[in-house]
Amino acid sequence: MRIVDVYQAVTSRRAVRGFTDQPVPREVLERVLTAAARSPSGSNLQPWHVYVLTGEPLAELKKRALQRVASGDAWDEREYEMYPADLKSPYRERRSAFGRERYGALGIAREDWEARQRAAAANWDFFGAPAALFCYIDRDMGPPQWADVGMYLQTVMLLLRAEGLHSCPQMAWSVYRKTVAEILHPPEGLVLFCGVSIGFEDVTTGHTRSGRAPLDETVTFVGDAVRQAHAA
């Protein structure tokens, strides 16, 4: 295990969309997920339910998902709303900027819908990753527990960076949840939140880093205590 500075782990983490086929050792995944269990959750509910796929089960899931793409099979109905139907400013502009950056890096024009669909299809191959994680939550849980799951997943992704690994969280898998269930057979009471591709980055794959809003757009300091403490 490599020891990585927390700031380095945070700033180097990104959604990687190109992996090598180098296997990820099981002991590394176990170490990461054991440590991630220390993530905060309200009243220690630990509302995450995680499945890890490698090898033949992962290959079978990829095959079935890509068969659905090839056959033009309709998406499964979402069990949660990914974005508000009427996304207001500034979130609407940030989402549009991401799309321009993502597809612009691939040389895909905004109006080239077919090329965009082909690029999106790489989701169902986990971008070539040799390991994948699926995170479920009990459908009886509320917004605070969904927030707990988000903190858990962030912890997992930062710990993967400490191991020299990269990841890509994929809410896209929620629209193929029935295909995922054919492989995992989760209990009926669970909702699939997302998949996560895990592996070693293919550095030959081009990428762009999405921008971030300036601090004053998202953070408001009230009072002078923090500034004085730094000055002391």
Side-chain angles (χ1 to χ4, degrees), residues 97-224:
F98 168 76
R100 289 193 300 273
E101 292 169 355
R102 164 82 174 119
Y103 293 109
L106 296 173
I108 298 174
R110 179 181 177 86
E111 64 277 6
D112 193 344
W113 180 247
E114 288 188 6
R116 287 186 171 226
Q117 289 293 89
R118 287 195 298 271
N123 276 286
W124 319 126
D125 187 47
F126 292 98
F127 306 103
L133 174 156
F134 283 98
C135 187
Y136 286 79
I137 184 171
D138 192 301
R139 66 179 67 255
D140 292 334
M141 295 292 100
Q145 289 75 53
W146 285 75
D148 292 342
V149 167
M151 288 188 283
Y152 170 80
L153 289 169
Q154 172 75 339
T155 302
V156 168
M157 290 185 284
L158 295 181
L159 289 168
L160 289 170
R161 291 301 302 123
E163 298 283 355
L165 294 160
H166 274 284
S167 61
C168 182
Q170 298 167 262
M171 287 190 292
W173 278 102
S174 64
V175 301
Y176 276 3
R177 59 184 175 80
K178 293 181 181 178
T179 302
V180 176
E182 290 172 2
I183 303 297
L184 302 182
H185 307 289
E188 194 66 32
L190 297 184
V191 173
L192 175 59
F193 174 48
C194 72
V196 181
S197 296
I198 298 171
F200 294 93
E201 181 183 9
D202 179 358
V203 296
T204 67
T205 302
H207 72 274
T208 183
R209 298 211 68 179
S210 56
R212 291 295 186 268
L215 193 66
D216 60 6
E217 276 191 28
T218 61
V219 177
T220 300
F221 289 98
V222 180
D224 297 325

